Amino acid sequence: LIGRLMFELPEEMGLIAVAVRQTQGKGRGGNVWLSPVGCALSTLHISIPLHSNLGQRIPFIQHLVSLAVVEAVRSIPGYEDIELRVKWPNDIYYSDLMKLGGVLVNSTLIETTFHILIGFGFNVNNSNPTICINDLIAKFNKEEGTELKPLSADCLIARTVTVLERLIEIFQEKGPNGVLPQYYKYWIHSGKRVRLRDEEGPLAWIVGIDDYGYLQVHQEGKGVESVHPDGNSFDMLRNLIVPK
């Protein structure tokens, strides 16, 4: 629906679809995304000029959205230490333990404008199948003796979009270096050692992400190489970067 509407509306008009529950949620690579009640689920349309900082680095959008979700929670006074983090290229995690959200971006280039559809979903108030943001808040309250209130899906969708607008503005003005320090503050990969291709493959260390949003790994004797997200998956359970 939103894919058809986005070409019918004036460019300056914002467009977002919010779902209470999805029955056909999609993930990367044809995966199915489970979307029970209690999740924040939405698809956002934005337009990005091709000849802009972000237009020349479109893969960065998924990182900006993941960061915006985390910031939506951790920028609230009192909620700064809730252990919500980002996993390259497009996941939201509890620490480095469990996934509780994801981002899927589709782009269409028409003349000199990218039309971007950003689907994002994250678990706010449902303890199944893994964990939710309000579970993390309750855990924090118990451990720290605080009385932080649970958050609502509507509130966090609104905050995510607001934060994303600000991140896009910063990126357009300053490029990747304007947002990467904040991204690295929340990502789960710093200094992690991984194997390339399989469990007997060469060792490499994660360095960061390059100017186009691709993961950089350092392999001894071979320097730093970029790994493309569409051709690789990052297996957190086995510390592998493997071809899909």
Side-chain angles (χ1 to χ4, degrees), residues 26-29 31-34 39 66 69 83-104 119-124 126-133 135-136 188 234 236-237 244:
K26 295 178 181 177
R28 286 177 74 238
N31 292 330
V32 174
W33 176 256
L34 298 176
C39 293
S66 299
V69 171
E83 267 292 286
L84 210 57
R85 296 191 173 272
V86 294
K87 169 181 168 280
W88 178 92
N90 63 337
D91 290 334
I92 296 98
Y93 259 60
Y94 157 49
S95 185
D96 61 353
L97 300 172
M98 289 183 213
K99 177 176 177 175
L100 51 70
V103 177
L104 186 68
F120 60 93
F122 50 95
N123 198 348
V124 179
N126 190 321
S127 299
N128 295 311
T130 54
I131 199 167
C132 67
I133 290 171
D135 284 347
L136 302 186
I188 63 177
F234 192 74
M236 286 297 300
L237 299 178
K244 277 194 134 180

Side-chain angles (χ1 to χ4, degrees), residues 11-30:
E11 236 180 68
E12 64 274 9
M13 183 178 289
L15 188 62
I16 186 169
V18 177
V20 173
R21 179 168 55 194
Q22 289 181 137
T23 57
Q24 297 181 52
K26 295 178 181 177
R28 286 177 74 238

